[in-house]
Amino acid sequence: MKPVSMRALALAAALAGFGLPAAAAELSPQARAQILSTVERNEPALDHAALEIWKFAELGYQETQSTALLQGQLRDAGFTVTPGIAGEPTAFLARYKTGDGPVIAVLAEYDALPGLSQTLSPVQQSAGAPAGHGCGHNLFGAASVQAAIAVKDWMAANNIKGELRVYGTPAEEGGSGKVYMVRDGLFDDVDVAVHWHPGDVNSARQGDTMANVSGKFRFYGTAAHAAAAPDKGRSALDAVEAMNAMVNLMREHVPDRTRIHYVITDGGRAPNVVPAYAESYYYVRHTDPQIVRDVLERVKKAADGAALGTGTRVEFEAIGGVYSMLPNEALMTVMDRNLHAVGGISWTPEEVALATEIQKTLASRPPLSSVGEIEPAVIGGDFGGSTDVSDVSWVTPTVGLSTATFVPGSAGHSWQNVVAAGSSIGLKGAHLAAKTLALTTAELFQSPETVAAAKTEFERRRGPDFHYRALLGDRAPALNYRD
């Protein structure tokens, strides 16, 4: 008899508490073998897409080549693809439907980050390149698509009823691409959404993310000769600096774990010209969306005060806004079980050598052998960052995992991650993610008990009075936010 894990016992108890059957239909050995075989057979296609998207390195809402590549793979595999959903030209929705049954969504991302070194050298070559995949979204999109293709082939071969969807979601890095899809109701009929993210560990842990709102403050003043007629000028840059000073003083008087960060995106062009225009780009974050709303209002007042004090005018444009993640333990248990079934990652001597060189540039150097391990799956723990997947998690039960695509100890959004994401180190992590996503998605199609338990837990965690309201308001997608 196969031993029963404590996690399985806990899930059974939870299901019983919800008044639902405790048994969940796991995949048969034959189904597992079929799905894993398909993923492995398609690994060259996964690797091709991941490395091409790495080379494209397209910023948010500019991912024309990346989205075309992934859409083409899905069409060739038999999906019906609708591009340009939710007013986002580089977004898409791919569907494969066999009849009435669960609707399971797989999320795919593919945008890069600005200003990262874009090389495969373990020594930083240059900073400030136009863009680089420092968050590994080239791997994310490629693995999600191949996971879905493997599930589709299994459904077709075994007459599995339901609808499989792939959501191509651009501009996760600050553009909140998924939020517009959620706001437009594109997830309202989805039973479960699954996703993954590149990382430096293998884990199905469902940690805390931060809600955030981002936006640009644009100040308008009066130009003048900075030496001959400074009294005739009203400096927009002075207003930006005054606002920043007030916000920095505010940091002492905001709730714990609030994060406020900014860059000056335009401060003028010449020191001898009083700047008539200046712009700053702000993020406000906290795990509680309401605190984000409240702190942002205070930041706006600081901007108003800066404009008043400098004789300038200010406008604010909300660029992005996302919720914090709503976890789901019933789904996490399934993801964790399948992650363990696939196992950790093994590197070749060449990959170990590359990782060793990269780790020399890091402040933290966990053992490289950790990529062969799987961390415990728990609810909670601070992930620190933000993601628009969170908005999906508030409208349908959602679960994700992380795999070791980066060198242990790497910082997020770093040139070191760009190197790993463009190498076989990143590809091996993507292979593990594709297999785990595919097994989990297939299991959900055959386990109405798990889907029911996930929905019951989802409603309990969300609360009876919740009504989704996008943090970015009713604005259209900020298609030019990276310009």
Side-chain angles (χ1 to χ4, degrees):
M1 176 184 241
K2 185 176 180 181
V4 180
S5 69
M6 293 301 293
R7 175 69 62 189
L9 290 172
L11 177 60
L15 289 169
F18 293 143
L20 296 168
E26 296 186 27
L27 289 175
S28 68
Q30 294 81 4
R32 287 181 177 274
Q34 180 183 358
I35 291 166
L36 293 177
S37 175
T38 303
V39 174
E40 290 170 0
R41 185 173 64 250
N42 292 343
E43 281 176 357
L46 190 164
D47 296 351
H48 170 75
L51 296 181
E52 285 297 296
I53 294 172
W54 185 91
K55 293 174 188 175
F56 298 152
E58 295 170 303
L59 297 175
Y61 294 129
Q62 301 172 22
E63 315 98 329
T64 54
Q65 298 177 90
S66 303
T67 188
L69 194 162
L70 296 178
Q71 289 181 47
Q73 288 188 333
L74 288 161
R75 284 195 188 93
D76 290 346
F79 285 79
T80 300
V81 181
T82 303
I85 60 173
E88 302 169 277
T90 53
F92 66 85
L93 174 56
R95 286 185 166 100
Y96 176 74
K97 185 172 183 178
T98 57
D100 293 336
V103 178
I104 310 297
V106 181
L107 309 183
E109 298 174 8
Y110 33 86
D111 61 319
L113 285 155
L116 288 173
S117 175
Q118 177 75 352
T119 76
L120 291 176
S121 170
V123 179
Q124 187 173 10
Q125 300 297 302
S126 63
H133 273 286
C135 210
H137 291 179
N138 61 311
L139 305 168
F140 189 157
S144 292
V145 164
Q146 290 305 321
I149 289 172
V151 175
K152 177 262 173 187
D153 287 352
W154 166 77
M155 293 175 70
N158 296 278
N159 195 29
I160 305 298
K161 300 301 182 184
E163 182 176 350
L164 174 63
R165 296 181 184 174
V166 180
Y167 287 78
T169 63
E172 188 276 338
E173 299 289 356
S176 304
K178 297 179 192 65
V179 175
Y180 301 102
M181 300 179 188
V182 172
R183 197 181 66 182
D184 284 2
L186 296 180
F187 286 93
D188 288 355
D189 61 343
V190 171
D191 291 297
V192 173
V194 300
H195 67 101
W196 78 285
H197 202 283
D200 62 355
V201 298
N202 306 309
S203 176
R205 176 169 69 94
Q206 306 301 297
D208 298 328
T209 66
M210 305 186 85
N212 82 45
V213 171
S214 64
K216 295 182 178 180
F217 291 89
R218 300 184 177 103
F219 290 87
Y220 301 86
T222 303
H225 194 297
D231 57 304
K232 294 182 171 59
R234 297 294 181 267
S235 173
L237 178 58
D238 284 354
V240 165
E241 292 186 310
M243 174 189 173
N244 293 344
M246 285 188 283
V247 171
N248 288 332
L249 291 173
M250 187 194 303
R251 295 180 190 277
E252 183 183 358
H253 310 289
V254 294
D256 287 347
R257 299 188 67 199
T258 301
R259 297 288 183 269
I260 308 172
H261 26 276
Y262 61 84
V263 292
I264 299 174
T265 47
D266 192 336
R269 294 292 183 269
N272 63 335
V273 178
V274 174
Y277 175 79
E279 179 186 87
S280 58
Y281 191 180
Y282 265 77
Y283 274 60
V284 177
R285 306 188 200 236
H286 195 277
T287 54
D288 185 339
Q290 188 55 50
I291 290 177
V292 171
R293 290 188 179 100
D294 294 343
V295 172
L296 178 66
E297 290 305 310
R298 294 172 63 188
V299 171
K300 289 180 180 179
K301 289 180 180 179
D304 292 339
L308 180 63
T310 56
T312 60
R313 176 175 62 85
V314 64
E315 295 176 353
F316 173 74
E317 179 187 7
I319 299 297
V322 301
Y323 276 61
S324 51
M325 191 73 75
L326 190 68
N328 195 289
E329 187 170 8
L331 295 176
M332 179 184 73
T333 301
V334 177
M335 186 75 82
D336 181 58
R337 182 175 62 249
N338 287 307
L339 177 58
H340 276 85
V342 179
I345 295 169
S346 177
W347 282 344
T348 65
E350 294 77 14
E351 290 160 349
V352 170
L354 175 59
T356 300
E357 289 302 308
I358 291 175
Q359 230 185 29
K360 290 178 181 178
T361 69
L362 305 177
S364 173
R365 300 173 186 176
L368 298 180
S369 60
S370 63
V371 303
E373 303 168 359
I374 296 171
E375 292 195 345
V378 295
I379 296 288
D382 188 2
F383 277 179
S386 307
T387 172
D388 56 9
V389 176
S390 298
D391 285 62
V392 177
S393 77
W394 283 87
V395 296
T396 192
T398 301
V399 67
L401 82 152
S402 167
T403 65
T405 63
F406 305 137
V407 176
S410 297
H413 293 187
S414 64
W415 68 265
Q416 293 94 336
N417 284 1
V418 176
V419 176
S423 74
S424 59
I425 288 175
L427 295 177
K428 282 191 172 178
H431 297 167
L432 172 56
K435 291 176 179 178
T436 306
L437 276 182
L439 292 175
T440 300
T441 302
E443 183 171 329
L444 292 172
F445 274 111
Q446 289 202 309
S447 183
E449 300 88 358
T450 300
V451 174
K455 288 185 174 182
T456 301
E457 180 184 348
F458 166 74
E459 294 294 347
R460 176 175 57 82
R461 290 184 183 274
R462 193 172 68 158
D465 300 322
F466 176 80
H467 175 70
Y468 178 79
R469 180 166 59 97
L471 283 171
L472 49 71
D474 59 0
R475 67 150 300 147
L479 302 180
N480 63 347
Y481 84 108
R482 288 299 191 199
D483 292 348

